[in-house]
Amino acid sequence: MKLHFLASLTLCVALSPNVTAQQAYNVEQERVNSVLLMFDRSQSILANVSINYGQPEWKAEYAEQMEDLHGRDLRLGKDWWTTLVTATPLEFGNQTIAPGVHYLGLRADDEGQMSLLVFDIVDATKRKMVPWDASKWKGGVAIPLELDTEASEKPLERMSITMSQDEEQRDRGRFSIRWGTLELSSSVEFGKLGRKK
């Protein structure tokens, strides 16, 4: 009798229109960190920027598919969100990214101009945004990027995302995404760091 009851209960649950299927994923992902630490002469930290991301592998046919990306928002990196953590404001032209944690994506407009999309992590989490479904992305800041299609003669097999400091002007630097023979980049200023009044 007990087995008959359990079998009936299982069948009812399986056929019930009110029960929705659920899926859970718990996948270990290979990720890398790109970290920029900036110190003063006393070795106190002036600023720090960290970028955490998965590295997709380059395929030769990607270079021929650039036009197919026009008018689309795109995941940056592999698997889960590429994440930017900064302890100081980052200024890209007339756009300022506040200190905090941010998710990153890419946008290719209708003419092919590429931009870095920066989403506040709290707002993105509340909206339940995920990196593989750009149709649900809302808000964020778009930062224009320069595209160099021949940045490297030998294709870089795994994506590299870095933030570097200028050797002469310590409050300035460069954001760079390199993959295959391509590079997307932008100059960046690190808040008010080191500027003369």
Side-chain angles (χ1 to χ4, degrees):
M1 185 73 174
K2 186 176 181 182
L3 288 175
H4 178 69
F5 172 77
L6 289 175
S8 298
L9 179 62
T10 303
L11 182 61
C12 288
V13 170
L15 297 177
S16 173
N18 296 323
V19 177
T20 58
Q22 296 182 3
Q23 294 179 321
Y25 297 94
N26 185 8
V27 181
E28 291 187 17
Q29 301 173 348
E30 291 184 10
R31 296 179 70 83
V32 295
N33 283 302
S34 174
V35 179
L36 173 63
L37 295 174
M38 300 161 62
F39 299 90
D40 64 15
R41 292 179 181 174
S42 67
Q43 295 303 303
S44 296
I45 295 177
L46 292 170
N48 63 64
V49 180
S50 173
I51 305 170
N52 180 271
Y53 61 102
Q55 292 180 291
E57 295 183 11
W58 176 257
K59 295 181 181 178
E61 58 265 30
Y62 290 162
E64 301 171 0
Q65 298 172 356
M66 292 298 292
E67 289 190 12
D68 296 338
L69 304 179
H70 292 193
R72 294 177 55 191
D73 289 346
L74 310 158
R75 179 188 346 203
L76 173 59
K78 180 182 177 182
D79 298 322
W80 190 240
W81 286 105
T82 291
T83 307
L84 168 73
V85 182
T86 177
T88 190
L90 302 176
E91 298 178 15
F92 297 86
N94 61 355
Q95 300 280 14
T96 299
I97 304 305
V101 184
H102 308 273
Y103 287 148
L104 303 181
L106 290 175
R107 170 172 292 157
D109 69 16
D110 292 338
E111 286 73 43
Q113 168 64 51
M114 301 294 291
S115 296
L116 178 70
L117 296 178
V118 183
F119 301 100
D120 175 76
I121 193 172
V122 175
D123 182 59
T125 301
K126 285 180 180 177
R127 295 175 184 269
K128 298 182 180 178
M129 289 165 47
V130 290
W132 53 83
D133 189 359
S135 67
K136 296 181 181 177
W137 292 1
K138 302 291 182 186
V141 174
I143 297 166
L145 297 173
E146 293 182 15
L147 171 62
D148 183 352
T149 59
E150 299 178 352
S152 173
E153 290 185 11
K154 182 179 179 182
L156 187 66
E157 292 183 6
R158 289 183 174 267
M159 182 178 285
S160 172
I161 306 175
T162 58
M163 187 83 74
S164 59
Q165 183 184 27
D166 187 280
E167 293 182 1
E168 297 182 359
Q169 296 178 294
R170 66 192 185 103
D171 64 332
R172 300 172 189 270
R174 187 165 179 264
F175 173 79
S176 170
I177 303 167
R178 292 185 58 238
W179 196 32
T181 59
L182 310 175
E183 182 181 32
L184 292 167
S185 65
S186 174
S187 59
V188 59
E189 296 185 33
F190 302 102
K192 303 297 181 184
L193 182 63
R195 295 184 192 167
K196 295 180 180 179
K197 296 180 179 179

